[in-house]
Amino acid sequence: MDLQYLHSAVPISPAAQARIPALQRMDLITVRLPYLRPFSTSVHTWAAKEALLLRVEADGVVGWGECVADPDPFYASETTQTVRHVFKQFLLPLVQPGLTLGELLHSWSPVRGHGMAKAMVENALLDLIARRQGLPLHRLLGLAARPIQSGVALGIQPSIPALLDAVADAMSRPYHRVKLKIMQGKDVEWVAAVREAFPDLALMADANGDYRLEHAPILRALDAFNLSMIEQPLSYSDIVQHAALQSQLATPLCLDESIHDLDDARSALALKAARIINIKQGRVGGMIESLRIAALCEQAGIGVWSGGMDETGIGRAFNMQLQAAPGFTLPGDTAETSRYFKEDIVDQAVVLADDGYIAMPGGPGIGVTVLEERVTRYTLNRERIL
């Protein structure tokens, strides 16, 4: 075990010193945006994005946060309903004007887990504070804008020919890498077919925890295809068995669902459980915690990238702002809006430049304007909290 990672000093973002303004209004809004095509992983298929949004307002300025939880527990134990409960009963009472964001996050520490609920609130407050100061969020976080690398995730397809068609369609745009969802029975042969058809493609595989350590021979077979990484092949909660598996593979392992906070990242690095970490800011507790994880990984020479949860334009904008941090050296899950939705609920769709990069929105806060008439159009439920 490499103990240095358990004790490494990690800086905290200057945004932690920002103070919470007095809030005049707060709303929880559930929206449902149909996907252009269903999205399948090893555990479930989704036909729409059902997202819980938090709208906060102070002195006529509005900030937005998006919870990445699904209405079902098939990706994570948090759901939109558990988030609603934890937010109202345990997090909101501690949101007090004048507190710094760092003080607020510390006050939440007795609430075990629930990173998605915490991220939703932190995100909304960060957006509000940055907009009130007239700053892009990345500047509030102490970061400089830069173009964002793009990547696309392809759900599990019904057949190998369908998968090859999906990859070809994705490669009609200049994405920097393609991620394939895999599962038991749809793995080695399927990846082999893609690699044969696209020998120079930057390619990775994401198992969403569908394998066990006894499947190591199958996962070792993927070493033949020059993958940039295999993401989360084993249990969602595991770090130790991933360490045992990584020692048997040439391909880097990437941990995703196993990383819920900075301490999980420390453990993963100390045990050499992965060579890459996927930081989903909406799952690990928000932007400030994500920057701490990224800084730790940068110290260790471990690559990180920004994972996506098929968010609306609100959550996608937060992910883009996060990728201004220097530790994000690998293409993330940021794809063009047109791959997912006929229309989004923000004014700026994500579009690739000719070189595959994405320009970071430059406006205040998350850089995009939420179109409230579209929010209303897709609203399933709205509850005024304040």
Side-chain angles (χ1 to χ4, degrees):
M1 179 181 293
D2 197 332
L3 295 178
Q4 67 169 311
Y5 299 121
L6 297 180
H7 302 288
S8 297
V10 179
I12 191 164
S13 168
Q17 299 304 313
R19 295 194 178 275
I20 301 169
L23 302 176
Q24 278 83 50
R25 178 162 180 161
M26 181 180 295
D27 298 89
L28 280 175
I29 307 166
T30 304
V31 296
R32 187 178 191 273
L33 277 67
Y35 289 138
L36 291 174
R37 59 188 69 84
F39 188 81
S40 298
T41 71
S42 59
V43 293
H44 193 61
T45 297
W46 290 269
K49 179 62 183 182
E50 186 171 314
L52 181 63
L53 309 178
L54 178 63
R55 181 188 186 275
V56 294
E57 185 173 344
D59 301 321
V61 179
V62 175
W64 291 85
E66 175 177 344
C67 176
V68 300
D70 294 312
D72 47 64
F74 301 133
Y75 171 79
S77 57
E78 285 187 83
T79 69
T80 50
Q81 287 305 309
T82 68
V83 167
R84 184 183 293 272
H85 169 68
V86 169
F87 164 66
K88 292 168 65 176
Q89 297 299 317
F90 302 104
L91 302 182
L92 178 59
L94 299 175
V95 179
Q96 299 296 327
L99 285 180
T100 67
L101 288 177
E103 290 168 339
L104 176 65
L105 297 180
H106 179 72
S107 76
W108 284 345
S109 57
V111 179
R112 306 299 186 188
H114 297 284
M116 294 179 179
K118 293 173 181 177
M120 177 185 72
V121 186
E122 183 238 48
N123 283 189
L125 293 173
L126 279 171
D127 185 38
L128 176 65
I129 292 167
R131 289 181 188 273
R132 281 167 54 87
Q133 296 184 19
L135 292 176
L137 179 55
H138 59 265
R139 286 188 56 195
L140 182 69
L141 296 169
L143 307 172
R146 61 172 178 160
I148 302 304
Q149 296 185 78
S150 63
V152 62
L154 301 180
I156 291 172
Q157 304 295 314
S159 66
I160 290 177
L163 174 60
L164 295 176
D165 287 344
V167 175
D169 178 66
M171 294 313 297
S172 67
R173 301 293 292 145
Y175 284 104
H176 293 126
R177 68 104 170 108
V178 170
K179 176 166 77 174
L180 306 180
K181 297 287 185 178
I182 62 171
M183 62 185 293
Q184 293 180 51
K186 292 186 175 183
D187 40 44
V188 177
E189 183 182 0
W190 295 56
V191 173
V194 173
R195 178 52 78 207
E196 181 179 3
F198 302 92
D200 301 320
L201 174 63
L203 188 64
M204 61 175 286
D206 181 8
N208 289 112
D210 197 49
Y211 297 82
R212 297 183 297 277
L213 196 55
E214 66 198 63
H215 297 122
I218 296 173
L219 298 168
R220 279 200 301 272
L222 296 177
D223 280 342
F225 306 117
N226 190 31
L227 299 179
S228 58
M229 69 192 83
I230 302 171
E231 184 180 0
Q232 197 72 35
L234 307 180
S235 166
Y236 277 28
S237 58
D238 174 72
I239 293 177
V240 172
Q241 292 184 72
H242 276 99
L245 178 61
Q246 179 66 93
S247 69
Q248 302 178 51
L249 301 181
T251 305
L253 289 184
C254 171
L255 288 183
D256 175 7
E257 290 92 344
S258 293
I259 307 300
H260 295 93
D261 54 26
L262 178 66
D263 285 340
D264 284 342
R266 289 188 189 278
S267 298
L269 297 185
L271 293 173
K272 297 181 172 60
R275 299 175 195 161
I276 298 168
I277 287 181
N278 171 6
I279 301 177
K280 288 180 176 168
Q281 68 84 22
R283 191 192 66 240
V284 303
M287 303 285 280
I288 293 173
E289 185 75 353
S290 294
L291 290 172
R292 298 179 73 204
I293 296 171
L296 175 71
C297 291
E298 187 179 24
Q299 292 174 11
I302 295 291
V304 301
W305 53 279
S306 172
M309 295 283 288
D310 296 344
E311 295 96 335
T312 76
I314 297 172
R316 200 175 299 260
F318 277 102
N319 295 344
M320 292 171 63
Q321 297 283 335
L322 178 65
Q323 291 174 78
F328 287 84
T329 58
L330 301 171
D333 276 343
T334 309
E336 291 189 299
T337 304
S338 60
R339 290 198 59 83
Y340 299 98
F341 307 117
K342 182 178 180 180
E343 66 175 4
D344 207 340
I345 55 174
V346 301
D347 66 336
Q348 297 181 46
V350 174
V351 179
L352 304 190
D354 291 342
D355 60 1
Y357 282 88
I358 301 166
M360 185 175 295
I366 56 175
V368 298
T369 299
V370 178
L371 303 175
E372 298 210 33
E373 69 277 9
R374 291 189 187 175
V375 171
T376 299
R377 187 186 314 160
Y378 293 107
T379 291
L380 297 178
N381 175 268
R382 183 168 188 144
E383 179 183 4
R384 183 163 181 175
I385 306 298
L386 180 67

